[in-house]
Amino acid sequence: MTHPKRREAAERLASSAPPGALRVVMDPDPTGTPSVLRTALAAWSSIEDGATHQLVVQDDMVLSDSFFERARHAVEAMPGAALALFALWDSRNGAAVRFGALAGARWVGAVNEYFPCVSIILPRQVAEGFVAYGRSRLGGWPDDILMYRYLSEQGVPRYVSVPNLAEHQDRGSISGNAFRGPRRSVCFLPSDPAGHEDARLTGLTVVPFFKQGVAQCAVRVTGPGPQRWLHLDCERYLAGAGVPAARLRTAPAEAGGGVRGTWLTAFATGLVERRDGLRCTSGRATTSPDPAVVAEALATVGPGGISHARTEEQIDERRAELARTAREGLEAGQEAAEDLARPRRNRRASLSRPRRVGVMGAATPLGEHIVRGLADRGHPVTVLEPGDPVQTAARPWRTCGTSRRKVTARHGCRCRCGRTATAGRCRTPSRTRCTRVTCTGPGARGTP
């Protein structure tokens, strides 16, 4: 798909493909207000009779050597899915691609973001449905946001290729995206061979990404209703995940723009990857990450995060330094995950033992904050709806006001856990002080 101003580029791209694989579709109203969606709808409407799928590629893309072979195998492996063949280096879907690279996957489930449309494959019925959906929404949201909404509403599975099958060339934007700076792939290897397109990674719940100079984490909110995500500062998420502040102080100082953000994003990526034990599903017995794919995916963390404020030349000058920083951050995050998984001998039992907690009103902003905070600290949380049974104490718990030397059996001190208590001390094997002892004898003082 193209505009008359870039017809020559589109024709070159079409001629580079196998005969008949690509044909040029022009903007139907080139003198009107610039609209990617208008041209995209014309492209999706041009599907040929008998075709099961439609591929749409924008005119400023470079295709990998294995583009059509990988695309064909992917369609065979996932015939009902929408397949994005490109994701930006600073996007959440790009961050998902990094997890796919670390897991040895060839495709990763898309996350809560626009669905990339610069190089995309849709099943025929899905493409036809999007045409009707988009025509009623012209002049509104961009095509990639509408595509995400349409696919989500229709329940169409969405995947992004690992590594990407296409790269973006910055020839200037005619749709108003030039302000974003260089827009490159999260991971593009032109010579990546085809194969194992059934290796997929899905179910991501935390996605660290570096965008516009800010290290962030998108965190999926568990609970009833539509899928929702929270967006947190990376350091805040790591603190809630139990990473000691002293460990984060090892991050490099901001000697140059983007260094600390690159390290924090890579650290969070390594922590989540190792802590959650991310593995891809595949017909093969095992899948191993490709070192070249991992290296390229990590090398774009920093450049993507500073691309809004740097030229292509300035980014190239710092690429090696930021790639080193990303690798160091990833390894530090993986080490932190292993440390957190080890049992802590010196922690008080009362602090380390998780408590089952029920929370009502979790759909409110405050409720979400409470649920996330409790879950981050290891407590199993149940989201309660109005009318759900809630366990309450039959009477307020009272502490014993009698000194230990004068306590006798007639005081009837009992701990909330059900064990007999002596002088306000619960007789548990740990012999820890219990402050939730109820006393029915003389001298009891109430503390509801």
Side-chain angles (χ1 to χ4, degrees):
M1 54 178 276
T2 189
H3 186 274
K5 292 181 180 179
R6 301 214 295 226
R7 178 169 191 159
E8 184 179 344
E11 290 176 344
R12 280 199 306 270
L13 177 60
S15 64
S16 69
L22 295 177
R23 51 196 170 87
V24 176
V25 175
M26 302 291 293
D27 183 346
D29 184 14
T31 61
T33 302
S35 172
V36 175
L37 176 60
R38 183 175 60 231
T39 311
L41 294 178
W44 291 120
S45 301
S46 67
I47 188 167
E48 296 180 352
D49 293 340
T52 61
H53 291 73
Q54 178 81 325
L55 163 67
V56 171
V57 182
Q58 293 188 9
D59 57 48
D60 53 358
M61 304 303 291
V62 176
L63 310 184
S64 70
D65 297 342
S66 60
F67 182 94
F68 290 98
E69 187 179 1
R70 279 199 66 190
R72 185 177 68 255
H73 291 322
V75 165
E76 293 171 353
M78 300 170 283
L83 305 177
L85 314 180
F86 171 90
L88 282 169
W89 54 7
D90 64 347
S91 66
R92 282 159 278 177
N93 280 313
V97 167
R98 294 190 180 100
F99 280 127
L102 291 168
R106 298 291 274 173
W107 296 86
V108 63
V111 295
N112 70 316
E113 198 176 35
Y114 61 86
F115 192 66
C117 289
V118 295
S119 183
I120 176 177
I121 299 174
L122 294 181
R124 182 189 190 94
Q125 295 80 1
V126 176
E128 293 171 341
F130 180 70
V131 172
Y133 183 88
R135 280 177 178 163
S136 63
R137 292 164 175 81
L138 276 168
W141 291 103
D143 66 324
D144 47 13
I145 293 179
L146 287 179
M147 182 65 75
Y148 166 77
R149 292 183 174 182
Y150 172 72
L151 296 176
S152 298
E153 291 173 9
Q154 298 299 314
V156 179
R158 297 167 287 123
Y159 295 95
V160 185
S161 60
V162 186
N164 289 173
L165 276 67
E167 175 62 290
H168 182 257
Q169 298 183 91
D170 283 307
R171 294 174 175 162
S173 175
I174 59 177
S175 56
N177 287 321
F179 73 96
R180 300 185 60 180
R183 292 164 289 152
R184 297 294 188 183
S185 163
V186 59
C187 182
F188 178 68
L189 297 175
S191 302
D192 179 67
H196 309 298
E197 304 304 327
D198 61 338
R200 282 166 271 174
L201 175 66
T202 58
L204 296 176
T205 58
V206 181
V207 182
F209 64 105
F210 188 28
K211 187 169 186 174
Q212 295 186 341
V214 181
Q216 308 167 63
C217 284
V219 183
R220 194 172 72 194
V221 179
T222 57
Q227 187 181 104
R228 293 177 298 130
W229 294 69
L230 294 177
H231 290 81
L232 306 174
D233 176 271
C234 215
E235 290 189 73
R236 181 182 174 191
Y237 171 77
L238 293 171
V243 178
R247 187 180 285 273
L248 295 182
R249 284 196 291 270
T250 63
E254 197 67 34
V259 174
R260 183 172 177 81
T262 298
W263 190 91
L264 286 170
T265 305
F267 182 99
T269 300
L271 176 85
V272 173
E273 182 268 336
R274 189 60 53 87
R275 180 195 65 190
D276 295 354
L278 299 180
R279 298 289 183 272
C280 68
T281 59
S282 171
R284 294 179 292 165
T286 59
T287 57
S288 300
D290 183 332
V293 176
V294 173
E296 179 61 19
L298 288 177
T300 62
V301 174
I306 64 173
S307 60
H308 68 294
R310 300 290 192 279
T311 65
E312 194 83 56
E313 293 73 20
Q314 291 171 330
I315 291 174
D316 286 342
E317 291 174 358
R318 305 202 51 214
R319 186 179 176 92
E321 172 199 4
L322 294 174
R324 246 186 344 264
T325 301
R327 171 60 71 178
E328 293 168 357
L330 179 83
E331 293 173 351
Q334 291 171 334
E335 292 174 4
E338 293 170 358
D339 288 345
L340 290 173
R342 297 190 185 101
R344 293 291 190 265
R345 296 181 179 179
N346 296 328
R347 287 186 179 177
R348 293 175 56 187
S350 60
L351 295 177
S352 61
R353 186 169 62 252
R355 310 285 186 182
R356 293 189 175 276
V357 183
V359 178
M360 298 188 70
T364 65
L366 176 60
E368 287 186 11
H369 179 76
I370 293 172
V371 169
R372 292 302 312 169
L374 291 169
D376 285 344
R377 288 162 177 78
H379 301 290
V381 180
T382 300
V383 176
L384 301 176
E385 298 295 329
D388 288 349
V390 180
Q391 292 184 351
T392 58
R395 60 187 179 188
W397 298 103
R398 300 173 179 272
T399 58
C400 184
T402 307
S403 69
R404 297 186 189 184
R405 294 188 180 88
K406 296 181 180 179
V407 168
T408 62
R410 65 192 179 92
H411 278 260
C413 295
R414 294 191 66 81
C415 175
R416 190 172 184 178
C417 69
R419 296 179 179 273
T420 303
T422 303
R425 182 183 291 273
C426 177
R427 297 178 62 187
T428 60
S430 64
R431 305 294 293 172
T432 56
R433 182 72 175 176
C434 182
T435 59
R436 294 177 297 173
V437 173
T438 182
C439 179
T440 57
R445 58 190 181 199
T447 54

